[in-house]
Amino acid sequence: MSAATLGLDGTVAWPQEIAAAYRAAGYWRDQTLADALRTWAARSGADLALVCGKRRWSYRELDARVDRLAAGLQTLGIQPGARVVVQLPNCAEWLVVFFALLRCGALPVLALPAQRLAEIGSFCAQSAAVAYIGAADAAGYDYRPLASALRACCPSLRSVILDGAQHPFIPLASVDAEPTSFAPASAAAVALFQLSGGSTGTPKLIPRTHNDYLYSVEASASVCQLSRASVYLCALPMAHNFPLSSPGALGTLAAGGCVVIAPQPSPTHTFGLIAQERVTITALVPPLARLWLEAAPSHQQQLASLDVLQVGGAPLDRTTAERITSVLGCRLQQVYGMAEGLVNYTRLDDPLERVWTTQGRPLSPADELRIVDAEDRDVAPGAPGQLLTRGPYTIRGYYRAAEHNRHAFTADGFYRTGDLVRMTADGYLVVVGRSKDQINRGGEKIAAAEVEQHLLAHPHIQAATLVAVPDQWLGERACAVIVTSVAGIDRPTIAAFLRSRGLADYKIPDVIRVVDALPTTPVGKIDKRQLRDQLTAAQAHSRRSR
Ligand code: AMP
Ligand code: DBH
């Protein structure tokens, strides 16, 4: 085994002989993402590539717009290898900017619209970005103060380009020039930066190469059986790895299908579009899937074309999973992935029971998985443990993070996912929790995910999560935070319900809090860290005022 090599640009590369094996097996084809768009445009020229509001662009038109913007970016002085933070809402420009940066050899850092100065500033600093490309406003938020603050605090930033803004910013529409040719980039080089999940500290930059990303996109399109006939609704924020690459917008373009862009993922913004564009497939996180389920019964007709609903990003409880197949009348696909690489899918022809109860199996035959105990020893088959993985599209290290990488990866290059999983006899993964997402109640360990599953089976609980709150005697107590539409859901009711489902007494939440909505991460997953902070602050406040 040879050690991973640290590239000059601060990224950790795959060992040479492993890279050679991935090429020999055909996983890495040495094509860049910008070239891939050229190939797709040559193949599907006049076909519809994307729909965004009133705009309907063919593949040829998308490719031509990318050419002009790439040339415009070059005239602004954006050089090959330069990092550019992109924070655009879901819109056609998102894809044009993404591909234009790739075409001129720059590296997009894919930020989410919900991120704010602390995060965006950190991405600019971590990547020494030369430009920020955003929107003047979106979803009722004015990004101009953020853009000005960035200019003040990030010395590397030379250009701040905003869609829909004027001086002192560079209006995106003004970045335009006659198409020019660019020196080809190496497909083995970093193409873009994804961001690690926002619920565990400031996100780290995840360097994804052309080779590894394109492979995951094309293989995902194939697992999801995308074709020219596919119409993919992009409802989650497009910068996120799931709607971008699993198979997402990029996989749809790779298959010759059409990407329909929704500005927001709520039923009001999506159901009409699904009906109008005859959408066949889309991707949601579980809280949104539950929202769709509530709205669906009165809009059944609008959803008639929907064939596959992918749900991933966070645990999906069995009750909701079953309702998706019965209420939405489409197929469910569970997707368990991470921006660092590994993606698992239930397959479209899997039996329902497997689709309801597992998070799928790896995308690639070359994905290597180990399930280990606290000492990194393999657990017995079927037993739960922490998932470690490496493979042709899983990174070997975060960007410029040598210290963090020592803990986040094993010496032989496995990424420590931090997820607790078990593997079924037929090779499917069941996510049983996060390695640190447990409550230590005076020594008794409670896995949050287990209790959440049971809470969500209650017919009147729309959303639920379990977090630890500090306790003088026990160290920690379990607090269930729930969203419910009916009055009178109190602790005794919930305790009786959980007992009736066979849950041990010590796992019954000590405290129940009813809230209107749970805080979410920028992509819509429940943000436990924020919730824990809120609860701890509220507790300290009530103690002080007592
Ligand atoms: P991120 O850091 O945002 O890329 O999130 C990746 C993490 O989300 C994974 O490591 C899992 O903890 C979680 N996750 C993603 N998909 C699923 C899923 N289908 N079920 C449970 N957890 C998931
Ligand atoms: O949560 C994720 O990060 C995720 C979920 C599903 C992901 O990155 C993916 C699929 O590619």
Side-chain angles (χ1 to χ4, degrees):
M1 177 203 75
S2 81
T5 42
L6 187 64
L8 286 176
D9 57 356
T11 61
V12 187
W14 283 263
Q16 263 176 7
E17 69 277 14
I18 292 180
Y22 291 156
R23 283 198 176 83
Y27 303 132
W28 292 0
R29 293 192 294 101
D30 283 318
Q31 185 181 37
T32 65
L33 287 160
D35 272 354
L37 175 64
R38 197 70 96 201
T39 310
W40 304 335
R43 175 207 56 203
S44 307
D47 294 352
L48 193 60
L50 71 85
V51 174
C52 176
K54 292 201 170 57
R55 294 177 292 174
R56 311 178 75 81
W57 294 351
S58 67
Y59 277 76
R60 195 173 296 130
E61 183 161 9
L62 171 63
D63 192 47
R65 285 176 183 269
V66 167
D67 270 339
R68 293 198 69 95
L69 181 61
L73 290 167
Q74 189 186 43
T75 62
L76 282 181
I78 293 177
Q79 305 273 340
R83 275 80 59 197
V84 176
V85 174
V86 180
Q87 187 188 28
L88 284 166
N90 279 11
C91 61
E93 284 72 22
W94 196 99
L95 282 172
V96 183
V97 166
F98 174 74
F99 280 113
L101 287 167
L102 293 168
R103 194 155 278 171
C104 67
L107 282 56
V109 179
L110 303 179
L112 299 162
Q115 288 166 330
R116 296 291 178 257
L117 186 59
E119 285 146 320
I120 305 293
S122 156
F123 305 152
C124 290
Q126 289 186 62
S127 65
V130 301
Y132 166 83
I133 306 184
D137 55 66
Y141 185 77
D142 183 356
Y143 288 83
R144 284 168 296 189
L146 184 155
S148 302
L150 282 177
R151 224 182 353 207
C153 71
C154 302
S156 61
L157 269 193
R158 288 199 307 270
S159 311
V160 176
I161 304 167
L162 292 189
D163 189 20
Q166 296 301 323
H167 188 76
F169 306 108
I170 304 169
L172 181 61
S174 72
V175 188
D176 176 65
E178 281 306 312
T180 173
S181 59
F182 294 91
S186 160
V190 175
L192 57 97
F193 291 96
Q194 274 290 355
L195 307 168
S196 65
S199 52
T200 50
T202 303
K204 302 269 175 311
L205 300 189
I206 298 172
R208 302 290 303 258
T209 65
H210 295 274
N211 272 335
D212 89 71
Y213 213 62
L214 193 54
Y215 169 56
S216 83
V217 162
E218 290 176 341
S220 294
S222 153
V223 159
C224 300
Q225 298 172 14
L226 294 191
S227 72
R228 282 190 64 185
S230 301
V231 182
Y232 177 85
L233 180 79
C234 202
L236 292 173
M238 330 190 36
H240 192 271
N241 203 50
F242 184 15
L244 185 60
S245 72
S246 298
L250 297 183
T252 305
L253 296 176
C258 173
V259 180
V260 175
I261 301 175
Q264 297 290 332
S266 66
T268 9
H269 288 97
T270 52
F271 285 10
L273 264 181
I274 293 175
Q276 188 186 310
E277 303 299 334
R278 312 271 322 142
V279 166
T280 60
I281 175 168
T282 188
L284 296 176
V285 288
L288 280 170
R290 279 189 280 276
L291 204 65
W292 279 36
L293 276 176
E294 271 172 55
S298 46
H299 297 83
Q300 221 45 286
Q301 214 45 44
Q302 288 185 302
L303 304 180
S305 60
L306 196 63
D307 175 29
V308 177
L309 177 63
Q310 299 182 292
V311 180
L316 177 67
D317 59 288
R318 186 198 168 116
T319 314
T320 307
E322 283 187 35
R323 288 184 62 217
I324 287 170
T325 41
S326 61
V327 177
L328 295 182
C330 65
R331 289 186 282 179
L332 166 68
Q333 178 177 53
Q334 293 215 38
V335 188
Y336 160 44
M338 51 209 76
E340 288 81 357
L342 179 72
V343 190
N344 303 274
Y345 295 94
T346 55
R347 300 311 199 253
L348 294 177
D349 56 359
D350 275 338
L352 277 177
E353 185 64 25
R354 192 187 275 166
V355 171
W356 289 335
T357 57
T358 82
Q359 281 64 58
R361 65 179 160 88
L363 169 62
S364 169
D367 283 319
E368 299 175 71
L369 271 54
R370 289 184 61 204
I371 302 176
V372 302
D373 65 16
E375 274 77 50
D376 276 359
R377 288 175 306 217
D378 293 319
V379 299
Q386 198 201 143
L387 177 67
L388 310 183
T389 184
R390 63 181 185 187
Y393 61 99
T394 296
I395 57 163
R396 293 295 183 119
Y398 293 99
Y399 185 62
R400 294 183 178 165
E403 186 51 39
H404 183 74
N405 287 341
R406 266 191 281 284
H407 308 289
F409 295 82
T410 65
D412 53 355
F414 278 84
Y415 167 57
R416 296 183 190 276
T417 63
D419 294 328
L420 293 176
V421 306
R422 62 181 175 79
M423 190 180 274
T424 64
D426 39 16
Y428 280 66
L429 293 176
V430 177
V431 180
V432 295
R434 289 282 303 164
S435 62
K436 284 182 205 80
D437 194 9
Q438 58 176 19
I439 292 142
N440 191 337
R441 192 176 180 279
E444 282 178 313
K445 310 288 191 315
I446 305 168
E450 184 193 4
V451 181
E452 288 161 2
Q453 282 267 355
H454 288 291
L455 288 168
L456 287 167
H458 193 288
H460 296 129
I461 295 183
Q462 276 90 47
T465 192
L466 196 76
V467 291
V469 287
D471 182 81
Q472 214 178 340
W473 305 110
L474 294 165
E476 287 178 351
R477 286 190 304 165
C479 174
V481 187
I482 62 170
V483 177
T484 172
S485 48
V486 300
I489 302 276
D490 53 8
R491 187 168 182 279
T493 331
I494 288 182
F497 175 72
L498 295 178
R499 277 195 196 101
S500 77
R501 294 179 62 87
L503 207 64
D505 259 10
Y506 74 91
K507 293 183 183 168
I508 291 170
D510 300 287
V511 187
I512 306 288
R513 267 179 195 271
V514 178
V515 294
D516 292 337
L518 293 168
T520 56
T521 67
V523 78
K525 305 182 191 186
I526 294 169
D527 190 343
K528 289 204 174 187
R529 196 173 59 132
Q530 201 180 324
L531 199 57
R532 252 181 243 118
D533 292 350
Q534 284 172 6
L535 291 173
T536 309
Q539 195 168 324
H541 181 258
S542 72
R543 209 176 295 125
R544 267 199 310 276
S545 51
R546 240 185 265 145

